[in-house]
Amino acid sequence: MIIPAKNKPVLPLTISVKEIESIVEWFDQHQQSLYILGWSYLGNQLKIEELFYRAILQVYKELPKFKKSTSFELRVLSIFIRICRELSIENSVIASEERVFNALQQLKEQEREVLILKYIKGISREETAQLLQLSSEQIKEFLISGFQLLRKGLGNGDDYQGCYEYQKLYVNYLERKLERPRKIDFEMHIYNCHNCQDDLASLQETILNFSETIETFSVPADFMENVKDRVSQRENSIKLKKKKSKRIGFISASVFVLFLGTGFFTGIFQKIYYSLTEENQELRIFLQEDLGERLGLEAESNGVNIKIKSVIADEIQTLIFYEIEDTNDNNQYMINIDDGIFIEDEMKIMVANTYPMYIPPDMESDLNKKEKNIYHGKLSLRPLKENEATIQLNINKVMKLKRNSSDSFVNMEPEEGKWNFDIPVTKNPSIEYALNEEVEIEGIAVLIDKLILAPTGTILQYGLKNEQPEKRIEMINFKNLEINNKVAEADLYGNSYVHAQNDLRWSKFQAHFKPLFEKETDEVKVRFDNVYLSIVDNKTIALNASKEYPQTFDYAGSTISIDKVETGQSAIVVFSNHEINNRAYESLHYNIVTEEGDDSSMEMDHKGIIVDKNGKEYDMKKITPRIYEEMEQPRHFFTVQSTKIQGKKVTPKSLEIYGYSTTKYLDDEVELDTELIVKEEAGT
């Protein structure tokens, strides 16, 4: 496979490479993101040409001083930003025709820099903090305030007011950096707080608008040529041609190696070959179906060797199979998508309004029990925009897996290093069927909208029409799909919201199922498992800290105890119900009203248990992915819910309950009318 010219990997620059041409080529490869960074300071093409010229010469001058412990990109960005600031002192920024850039130029310098470095250059928070000499917490604060001010600058920021304590979590949630218990609490709050829903959606729309503007922003056609001409006049042309010749030879050698590593096996021989040579059963099936190829890319750091075995890409995700070997000791390591990895130009080559699939660590598989120092894993990334690309995957941290002997829970400890890969990827097509079948669940209309057959999974898209004010469906869990007499089990971690809503009558979601490797179907059966509901049932209970607690009240057929009410700078309200047999609700939707009004911030916490359909109870904080996967139709019961209210002096006045969440088990099956299925091809 020959990589298209626009997707050829950037040549690695090391401290030993001193020819200025390599530096110019690096700037050429990164010209769009650097141009946008320069534009946010200067707003003038001639000034930005001067910026590029000075930066290239300064990098060339300082290159011998670069340390191996600091990445080349960070050192270049440090120089680039320094010159940006110097030039901006002498410069009046020209108003841009693009509203986003006008709004961006109104931000404080550090807010603007953090947004651009994080969302345009795609570097991690830790690296951004190192580059700007700020703390990680300051980076998070600048991200939040930057996007809020950007939203306001675009004219839509004043109408959205989410809860203060949850606003602080928006960026971490959108970047998948919330710990699992906090993520569950956040999502439950979002489901039931319309202010936060609107606030988060508006902020996310601003981020997407920002990303889309950046993606469509074009660098003037002659810009980089002008910069190169200025550099060429300063350098010896013969030396530049010689360097270019070496570079072309390097690329040719890389392509030749890529050809050698490509399998030319098809049909029956291909299936037999991979059945004998590939020990990972899941990857073996993909290879036998000719959906990917072996790569064998390797990188080693601190005795930890990472091998990228293969990549399977489609419209759903980009699935990377890897193997990590500890060459010094008997440890197993995995790659955590939420910590320690970043992708060069991620928003440029991947679909922005999607999120990678959650893949928990698997230490119980036969393959990972085989050797104590080798871990076989997979990593889900966003789907590609184009059919072919090269993913520049940079890893600076892996997670050491440690089993807790008391309950088999897997703990993870970070291990730092440096593993960089240029991964060539070809996206496989998927096939879509329009279904348009409307059914009713718990008296609420549900649209079975679309079926997507893709190599890495099967997706059922459905829509919810929540028109009843007293009851709404928050989520549907499916048991399985049956296609061509083959059953696809549901993926427990695969429910997702569809960001592009083309029919405002329905809120669209996608349920993910295991892959079936089917390309055509004339029959589809959908089997439901359970439905998660929000019920509106208002009740107000007066609170008085001078009274003696606990006190009880009746709600939704249960007796609930108010255990504690305290006033002060940290006022506390705690209520509980440990009786779960035949309990109507799983968690309450509520608010604590204070005599001081809404100026105080609130922190909410909870304790609870998980109960499966057979009545077996599990501690909510001790559930492992393995245990959760084996449970039958689990329900999450909150036994204690508590709220801490911060302020100068806070007096809780009342507990206002808006309603509750509950799960209803289903045993329904829908056989779709095959005459309603219209075949459409996607990703081709």
Side-chain angles (χ1 to χ4, degrees):
M1 179 182 66
I2 299 177
I3 305 173
K6 64 177 182 179
N7 289 326
K8 287 180 181 176
V10 179
L11 288 178
L13 273 168
T14 67
I15 197 168
S16 62
V17 178
K18 296 183 180 179
E19 287 80 4
I20 199 168
E21 185 190 359
S22 295
I23 299 172
V24 173
E25 288 298 324
W26 190 92
F27 272 78
D28 194 6
Q29 292 284 347
H30 297 78
Q31 63 171 288
Q32 182 168 12
S33 58
L34 292 175
Y35 189 95
I36 294 168
L37 178 56
W39 186 270
S40 70
Y41 281 90
L42 307 172
N44 180 299
Q45 182 180 338
L46 292 178
K47 284 283 187 180
I48 300 174
E49 285 183 9
E50 178 67 18
L51 165 65
F52 269 63
Y53 178 71
R54 289 194 197 179
I56 289 170
L57 296 186
Q58 194 63 33
V59 170
Y60 180 58
K61 180 180 178 181
E62 294 186 20
L63 186 59
K65 302 177 184 178
F66 281 20
K67 297 179 180 178
K68 292 184 179 180
S69 59
T70 304
S71 76
F72 178 84
E73 183 176 30
L74 288 185
R75 290 301 302 265
V76 173
L77 285 174
S78 176
I79 293 169
F80 194 85
I81 290 173
R82 186 175 74 220
I83 299 174
C84 278
R85 291 170 177 172
E86 291 171 359
L87 290 174
S88 66
I89 294 175
E90 331 164 345
N91 181 65
S92 303
V93 177
I94 299 173
S96 172
E97 296 178 1
E98 183 59 58
R99 291 177 62 219
V100 169
F101 280 98
N102 277 334
L104 192 63
Q105 288 165 355
Q106 305 309 311
L107 302 185
K108 295 178 182 178
E109 183 175 81
Q110 288 178 317
E111 289 171 336
R112 184 171 65 239
E113 288 171 349
V114 168
L115 290 188
I116 292 174
L117 291 172
K118 182 72 177 68
Y119 285 89
I120 298 177
K121 284 304 298 174
I123 66 177
S124 68
R125 281 194 205 172
E126 292 77 15
E127 290 176 314
T128 302
Q130 177 186 343
L131 184 61
L132 300 180
Q133 296 184 338
L134 298 170
S135 68
S136 182
E137 190 63 27
Q138 286 175 308
I139 296 298
K140 185 175 75 171
E141 291 172 1
F142 283 133
L143 282 174
I144 295 170
S145 63
F147 272 123
Q148 287 176 335
L149 290 173
L150 188 65
R151 179 176 66 181
K152 188 174 181 179
L154 293 173
N156 62 348
D158 294 326
D159 297 331
Y160 301 98
Q161 298 294 330
C163 301
Y164 175 75
E165 63 170 310
Y166 287 97
Q167 284 181 326
K168 296 184 293 185
L169 303 176
Y170 286 173
V171 173
N172 274 355
Y173 177 73
L174 293 175
E175 293 183 2
R176 296 172 56 88
K177 291 184 180 295
L178 283 182
E179 294 180 357
R180 201 151 183 78
R182 199 74 179 98
K183 179 175 179 289
I184 292 172
D185 174 68
F186 179 89
E187 290 179 338
M188 295 193 69
H189 174 80
I190 291 294
Y191 277 139
N192 301 291
C193 179
H194 294 291
N195 285 340
C196 282
Q197 285 180 18
D198 294 340
D199 196 27
L200 179 61
S202 171
L203 191 69
Q204 189 174 23
E205 183 180 358
T206 300
I207 295 173
L208 291 176
N209 189 7
F210 179 70
S211 299
E212 289 169 359
T213 300
I214 297 309
E215 291 169 9
T216 56
F217 188 89
S218 58
V219 179
D222 60 348
F223 170 78
M224 202 61 205
E225 291 303 317
N226 294 341
V227 175
K228 288 181 178 180
D229 286 343
R230 290 187 64 182
V231 175
S232 295
Q233 292 170 12
R234 189 179 182 277
E235 296 300 310
N236 186 291
S237 60
I238 298 176
K239 184 177 179 181
L240 289 175
K241 289 179 181 180
K242 183 178 179 182
K243 180 62 181 177
K244 186 174 183 180
S245 175
K246 290 182 179 179
R247 179 177 178 272
I248 293 172
F250 184 86
I251 293 176
S252 300
S254 299
V255 173
F256 179 69
V257 170
L258 185 63
F259 271 118
L260 290 179
T262 303
F264 295 98
F265 307 100
T266 57
I268 300 298
F269 181 69
Q270 175 172 283
K271 292 183 181 294
I272 296 174
Y273 173 78
Y274 286 123
S275 68
L276 295 173
T277 60
E278 179 51 59
E279 57 182 343
N280 186 321
Q281 184 176 357
E282 184 179 6
L283 174 57
R284 183 195 308 157
I285 295 173
F286 284 118
L287 296 176
Q288 289 175 333
E289 294 289 336
D290 197 23
L291 296 170
E293 59 188 28
R294 280 197 171 130
L295 296 177
L297 304 175
E298 293 189 51
E300 189 272 338
S301 181
N302 299 330
V304 177
N305 188 72
I306 299 179
K307 179 188 294 183
I308 303 298
K309 300 184 68 174
S310 188
V311 180
I312 315 298
D314 56 22
E315 300 290 332
I316 299 175
Q317 62 183 324
T318 303
L319 194 60
I320 296 179
F321 286 87
Y322 65 86
E323 177 184 305
I324 302 182
E325 179 182 5
D326 182 357
T327 62
N328 293 332
D329 205 346
N330 284 331
N331 295 311
Q332 289 182 308
Y333 296 92
M334 70 166 287
I335 301 172
N336 184 4
I337 190 173
D338 297 324
D339 191 6
I341 76 168
F342 67 96
I343 299 166
E344 186 95 19
D345 295 327
E346 181 176 8
M347 294 300 101
K348 182 178 179 181
I349 66 172
M350 292 181 164
V351 181
N353 59 345
T354 59
Y355 296 101
M357 300 283 288
Y358 172 68
I359 301 175
D362 184 8
M363 296 181 69
E364 301 300 321
S365 70
D366 292 338
L367 195 56
N368 283 329
K369 286 181 176 180
K370 188 175 179 181
E371 296 178 89
K372 294 181 179 180
N373 67 325
I374 298 178
Y375 180 81
H376 300 262
K378 56 184 178 179
L379 182 70
S380 175
L381 305 178
R382 290 179 169 94
L384 297 176
K385 288 182 179 179
E386 305 295 335
N387 286 336
E388 291 187 343
T390 295
I391 298 175
Q392 291 179 272
L393 177 65
N394 300 317
I395 305 170
N396 56 36
K397 191 185 299 181
V398 292
M399 296 296 171
K400 182 191 295 184
L401 299 170
K402 297 181 66 178
R403 191 189 307 276
N404 187 320
S405 58
S406 62
D407 56 12
S408 297
F409 186 79
V410 176
N411 294 313
M412 296 190 292
E413 293 182 357
E415 185 78 22
E416 294 185 352
K418 187 176 181 180
W419 303 268
N420 297 333
F421 299 95
D422 290 344
I423 308 173
V425 184
T426 300
K427 185 167 65 174
N428 294 288
S430 61
I431 300 174
E432 298 184 4
Y433 293 90
L435 304 179
N436 296 322
E437 184 83 4
E438 191 170 327
V439 298
E440 190 175 279
I441 297 176
E442 290 291 311
I444 300 171
V446 175
L447 175 68
I448 308 299
D449 181 41
K450 185 188 294 185
L451 176 70
I452 303 174
L453 301 179
T456 68
T458 308
I459 290 182
L460 183 71
Q461 183 165 300
Y462 65 95
L464 300 177
K465 187 185 287 186
N466 286 309
E467 296 177 329
Q468 297 185 41
E470 71 281 358
K471 181 167 63 174
R472 56 182 286 161
I473 294 177
E474 302 293 357
M475 185 181 296
I476 298 174
N477 290 315
F478 297 86
K479 186 176 295 181
N480 57 49
L481 293 179
E482 185 175 328
I483 300 171
N484 296 341
N485 296 317
K486 294 182 179 180
V487 175
E489 298 295 334
D491 185 337
L492 291 178
Y493 309 104
N495 279 311
S496 60
Y497 178 75
V498 178
H499 295 274
Q501 301 282 344
N502 54 7
D503 187 344
L504 297 180
R505 296 173 302 168
W506 301 93
S507 296
K508 299 288 181 65
F509 299 84
Q510 289 186 341
H512 293 245
F513 300 80
K514 304 300 182 184
L516 290 176
F517 307 107
E518 293 293 304
K519 296 181 180 179
E520 295 182 357
T521 181
D522 55 6
E523 57 180 10
V524 179
K525 293 180 181 178
V526 180
R527 298 187 179 97
F528 297 87
D529 198 30
N530 57 58
V531 60
Y532 191 65
L533 300 167
S534 281
I535 310 297
V536 176
D537 186 1
N538 294 291
K539 184 166 184 144
T540 301
I541 300 93
L543 302 175
N544 188 341
S546 64
K547 290 184 178 181
E548 192 172 322
Y549 287 91
Q551 295 189 14
T552 62
F553 66 92
D554 293 331
Y555 179 79
S558 295
T559 299
I560 300 173
S561 171
I562 301 178
D563 300 325
K564 182 187 293 186
V565 178
E566 293 181 355
T567 62
Q569 288 187 346
S570 295
I572 297 174
V573 177
V574 180
F575 56 91
S576 63
N577 179 9
H578 296 274
E579 180 58 54
I580 61 170
N581 290 333
N582 301 316
R583 200 170 93 177
Y585 74 91
E586 292 168 24
S587 63
L588 298 181
H589 310 155
Y590 71 95
N591 183 42
I592 304 297
V593 179
T594 66
E595 293 183 0
E596 293 73 26
D598 297 330
D599 294 333
S600 304
S601 64
M602 296 186 182
E603 297 179 14
M604 296 182 178
D605 198 3
H606 65 269
K607 296 179 181 178
I609 58 174
I610 297 180
V611 182
D612 67 13
K613 191 175 183 180
N614 301 315
K616 186 175 179 180
E617 299 181 7
Y618 303 81
D619 188 328
M620 191 179 291
K621 296 188 182 298
K622 293 184 179 180
I623 294 294
T624 68
R626 172 69 65 174
I627 294 174
Y628 189 78
E629 290 167 6
E630 294 175 352
M631 293 169 64
E632 184 179 358
Q633 297 181 319
R635 298 180 69 185
H636 300 228
F637 285 93
F638 286 16
T639 55
V640 179
Q641 292 183 252
S642 61
T643 302
K644 180 186 289 186
I645 310 118
Q646 304 284 359
K648 293 182 180 179
K649 184 179 179 182
V650 183
T651 305
K653 180 180 178 182
S654 62
L655 166 63
E656 290 192 353
I657 301 176
Y658 308 129
Y660 58 88
S661 297
T662 189
T663 300
K664 297 290 185 183
Y665 294 127
L666 303 174
D667 192 22
D668 300 283
E669 177 182 300
V670 177
E671 185 171 353
L672 300 178
D673 187 346
T674 55
E675 293 181 358
L676 296 177
I677 298 176
V678 179
K679 181 179 178 183
E680 301 173 351
E681 291 199 1
T684 57

